[in-house]
Amino acid sequence: MSIEDKFHKLIQTHGQKERDSILKDIYAQMPELAPKSKPVKKRMSLRQKLFISMPIVAVGVCAAIVLPCVLIDNNPQTSIPTTYKYVLGVDYETKTENASTIKEYNEKQGAELLYFDWYEAVEEIITVNYVRKNAKEVLSIKENAITLNGEESITLAVVKNNFELDVYSGYSVCSGTHNIGEVTVKWYSATNNNNAMGFFEHNGYRYYITLEWSADENRLFELVNELLN
C-alpha cells in the first residue's frame, strides 16, 4: 500500500470537510504526494479573438494601401523606384515669375541638362520652377511650349533623380517601354484624354515628356530622340 493510500485510509472515517483539510495540510508539507493535474485551457471569448485578429487585418489593409496594383490598359506597372525621396506640395513652392528656363539653369549652374532649344521658335512657353522651401533648392524645372502653328503642346520637365515630386505622380504608370540607344523610355498613352506621356533617366536626372492633344507614342519617341541627340 502506498503512503498516499495509507493517509487516505487514516482519514476515511472523518467527514468530507475534515478530510479535505487534513489532505491540504499533508500536501503542503509533502507536495510530492499531491495528485498531478493538467492545466485547464481557457477558451477565448469572441471579443478576445477579434482583438487578436484586428492587428493582422490592419497589416493587410496597410499593405494594400502602400503597395497598390495599378490596372490600366495593357497591364501597366508602377515604375517609380522606392529609393526616390517623395516630396509633397507642402515642401516646395512654385515659381513662375522670372523662373529660370532649363537653358538658363545650365548657364548659371554649369549643368548639362537636356532641353529643347525652342525658346525663339514657339508661339508660347511657360516655365515653372519647383523650389524646396527651406533650402531654396531647385528640385525641378518644367516647360510647356505650344508650336507656332498651334498643332502641338509639349511639356518637358526635369528632376534630380533622387527626388519624386507629387506633381509628377501621373507618370508612375506605364503601358510599356521603348529603348533609344542605351536609354529606356517608360511611356503611357492616355487615349481617354488624348495625351502621350513618358519618362527616362539620363546622367543623374529624370526627364518627363507629355505630348498633349495626341496619344501617338511614336511622336513621343521622336521627341525623346531629339533630346538625346
Side-chain angles (χ1 to χ4, degrees):
M1 183 179 293
S2 67
I3 296 175
E4 185 176 359
D5 291 336
K6 290 180 181 179
F7 282 135
H8 279 287
K9 187 175 181 180
L10 177 64
I11 62 175
Q12 65 183 348
T13 57
H14 293 75
Q16 181 65 41
K17 291 183 179 180
E18 293 175 322
R19 289 200 304 269
D20 292 342
S21 178
I22 295 171
L23 281 174
K24 186 177 180 180
D25 291 338
I26 293 172
Y27 292 150
Q29 296 295 325
M30 304 176 69
E32 67 272 15
L33 298 179
K36 306 297 182 182
S37 59
K38 295 182 180 180
V40 179
K41 293 184 179 180
K42 294 183 179 180
R43 298 183 62 182
M44 288 190 296
S45 66
L46 178 60
R47 178 176 294 183
Q48 289 173 315
K49 291 179 180 178
L50 289 174
F51 182 78
I52 292 173
S53 63
M54 282 176 65
I56 299 174
V57 174
V59 170
V61 172
C62 289
I65 295 173
V66 175
L67 301 173
C69 179
V70 181
L71 299 175
I72 306 180
D73 297 339
N74 300 324
N75 299 319
Q77 299 176 349
T78 55
S79 305
I80 300 299
T82 55
T83 53
Y84 290 166
K85 181 176 180 181
Y86 198 80
V87 184
L88 296 173
V90 295
D91 299 319
Y92 62 82
E93 55 191 3
T94 57
K95 178 182 177 183
T96 55
E97 187 99 14
N98 299 319
S100 296
T101 65
I102 300 175
K103 182 178 180 180
E104 290 170 342
Y105 182 86
N106 282 347
E107 293 170 352
K108 292 176 183 178
Q109 303 295 329
E112 297 181 352
L113 304 180
L114 304 177
Y115 66 94
F116 293 114
D117 195 5
W118 52 23
Y119 305 105
E120 302 297 329
V122 296
E123 181 177 327
E124 181 184 9
I125 184 167
I126 299 174
T127 302
V128 180
N129 291 172
Y130 295 89
V131 183
R132 204 175 193 178
K133 285 184 177 179
N134 295 332
K136 298 300 180 182
E137 174 187 10
V138 177
L139 299 175
S140 172
I141 300 176
K142 182 172 71 174
E143 298 178 342
N144 172 251
I146 299 176
T147 56
L148 287 174
N149 54 16
E151 292 182 356
E152 287 186 328
S153 175
I154 303 167
T155 299
L156 171 65
V158 56
V159 188
K160 293 182 178 181
N161 67 359
N162 59 328
F163 288 98
E164 169 63 19
L165 276 66
D166 57 355
V167 70
Y168 302 128
S169 60
Y171 290 85
S172 63
V173 177
C174 69
S175 297
T177 60
H178 178 78
N179 293 328
I180 300 178
E182 297 181 354
V183 172
T184 299
V185 181
K186 298 177 182 179
W187 62 274
Y188 173 57
S189 181
T191 54
N192 58 332
N193 57 11
N194 205 32
N195 287 348
M197 306 161 61
F199 72 94
F200 65 93
E201 293 191 0
H202 180 75
N203 288 345
Y205 289 86
R206 192 164 60 262
Y207 295 84
Y208 297 102
I209 298 181
T210 300
L211 177 63
E212 299 181 69
W213 313 335
S214 173
D216 183 3
E217 66 271 16
N218 291 318
R219 175 56 179 153
L220 184 74
F221 303 149
E222 288 178 4
L223 291 170
V224 175
N225 187 64
E226 182 179 339
L227 269 181
L228 294 170
N229 299 289

